[in-house]
Amino acid sequence: MKKPLSYCLPLILALATVGASAQSSKARPQPAGHAGSNKASEATLPYTPSLDVSAMDQSVDPCVDFYKYSCGGWQKKNPIPADQTSWGVDGKLYQDNLDFLRTILEEAASAKKDRDAVTRMVGDFYGACMNEKEVEKRGVRVLKPDLDAIARVKSAHDLAPVIVHMQLAVPATSMVFEGSSSQDPDDSERQIASFDQGGLGLPDRDYYTKDDDKSKEIRERYVKHVQKVFELLGETPQAAAGDAQTVMHMETALARASLTRVERRDPYKLKNKMKVADLEKLAPNFDWQAYLREASAPKFEILNVTSPAFFKEVNRQLAEEPLANWKTYLRYHLANGYSPYLSSVFVQENFDFYSKYLRGAKEMRPRWKRCVQTVDRDLGEALGQAYVRKAFSPELKASTLDMVKRIQQAMEQRIQQLDWMSPETKKQALSKLHSMRNKIGYPDRWRDYSSVKVVPGDLLGNVKRATEFEAHRQINKIGQPVDHGEWGMSPPTVNAYYDPQMNDINFPAGVLQPPLYDAKMDDAPNYGDTGGTVGHELTHGFDDEGSQFDDKGNLKDWWTKEDKEKFEARTQCVQDQYAQYVVVDDIHINSKLTLGEDVADLGGEIIAYIAWKDANKGKNLQPVDGLTPEQRFFIGFAQWDCANERPENQRVRAITDPHSPPYARINGVVVNMPEFAQAFRCKAGQPMVNPPEKVCKVW
Ligand SMILES: [Zn+2]
């Protein structure tokens, strides 16, 4: 059970997932080397400057293609490692973090005495994951208790307890649907139960519904993958082929009843509050009482269903699909979800389909890397403590906090100066800005994992228990006050997010490292890069989606009608601009999906520029390496997103990723900033200068 209402809007894709399952996110970097023998206390994070002149390609005219000019050298010097599906500045940094965490974990795993509770827990978890011999020895037998539970089901009505236990224990996958808690969209201080669509093995519902040749090919290849999983469970190829068709047929019906990603950007569509009795009316063939009892859910009155049509479809299938088909569906998702933690044949099949075929990886990530990521996902705030001690000094916290405050002030200035917004709406916008909390580095209070039983040598058991711990932690929030100190990302994560219901911006220690934030470097590239990221997250509070939530995080319209219309015309400008950009082959950006991110990219950089100018008022800044301070601000911005990507991965992201591709995230912003044209003396009519009537300006 994961948080179903996901309003978190990360800058980069979330990354702390393990294995190669369908839900695993933007894959991450290759190890540069192995620091295994170092003591954790001696391990260091490598340094790359936030503005790297050698990463540029100065043979390119910045006014023609600014991304190539800033990142061309980086792209040439940094081919995609074999185990990666994309490779960028952020990915390299994440790789450094993994190397560092590996050193900590190896030491924690091998130490025999004098380990504190946290060290013992993360060390044993990692040790069990690395014990490949034991995992092989246990083989497919580890699935037997769960497979037996599925086999014992006597009627569709009896499916609920089996489904809930699989939802609680299988990580990074969704079993039929998702049940958890979320903040009440109308009262953000209240936690209510929440039910969301799910149940698919491909990364999005569109894979099941699109009619082009590539989509058909992917579906055929997916059915072969499902068949292989059944064969690994011991079925004959013939029986497995039949079962694979059953899974495909049930998932296709679920996909057709699912909301699209664009529909899910409308928070009103996701708001369907009801009582338990209404849920029982919506899907009467499912035993909700048994489900809630087995989930150990607290008693509650109100719940939210994000997609009622989906639950009607589940209900229909409960009546119309033979029970044997349901059992087939569950067996597959059980084995598929657990594949990364099973013997090598399962791991290999999972990689072959999800990473190699679907996203273009050439090689599997080494086991240590997958294991570090598993610990980071399952015990992130235990492992993160050592990371923070090493990588996040009080001085760093103070300097980034100062930057955040300056960016917030710049946003305030910007709102006050907007010529298209009425004083009435401005007052509301400022109130929202002033209510926004910011969280920097790591939580004030670390999560207590002491109730998770970690057993040496029991990888699957450890993963199950950690997943159940997190699922119950979420469920137990129902009826409890909201914890504003909670983090949705672990400290080493190279990412950031804004949460509209919390109305807070969150910057883990992992994203505040060089080359993204470089304490050794001057303000210009730092404001261009991390300043832009801060501005980006802050602007999410005012993008087409975030702007529908008020200062308290409630879904409430605070705009005058005229201002709303003007705002929509302005975001439409951004949507039209990005619709022109190509992701890969003939696939254009789905700019209805990326609109929030594109608006945040543009607004973020504009306010970062204002904040930078303010922070350096009266100073006589000098050129460095022949580049003016203004030029260095913009190159710092572009170099946060230098990247190479495999075409297969670009295809997946064109469907699933709300972020535009790297070149568009840079060039799409600078074409709208006269400050950029001035810095590089670009002339009207050049590609990096939008004609005045086409300049988009929202915030
Ligand atoms: Zn974002």
Side-chain angles (χ1 to χ4, degrees), residues 608-654:
Y609 191 88
I610 297 171
W612 171 58
K613 282 282 169 189
D614 251 27
N616 290 280
K617 208 182 276 169
K619 287 186 199 161
N620 184 19
L621 301 179
Q622 295 300 313
V624 179
D625 298 324
L627 300 164
T628 68
E630 285 76 12
Q631 290 173 339
R632 295 175 73 246
F633 171 92
F634 284 106
I635 297 165
F637 162 53
Q639 287 192 344
W640 90 259
D641 209 7
C642 294
N644 286 311
E645 190 167 9
R646 299 197 195 283
E648 293 89 344
N649 202 50
Q650 288 171 325
R651 278 185 173 273
V652 175
R653 288 182 51 190

Side-chain angles (χ1 to χ4, degrees), residues 9-11 536-537 540 597 600 659 665:
L9 303 162
L11 171 68
H536 170 105
E537 300 307 342
H540 270 315
E597 297 298 332
H659 304 86
R665 296 189 71 174

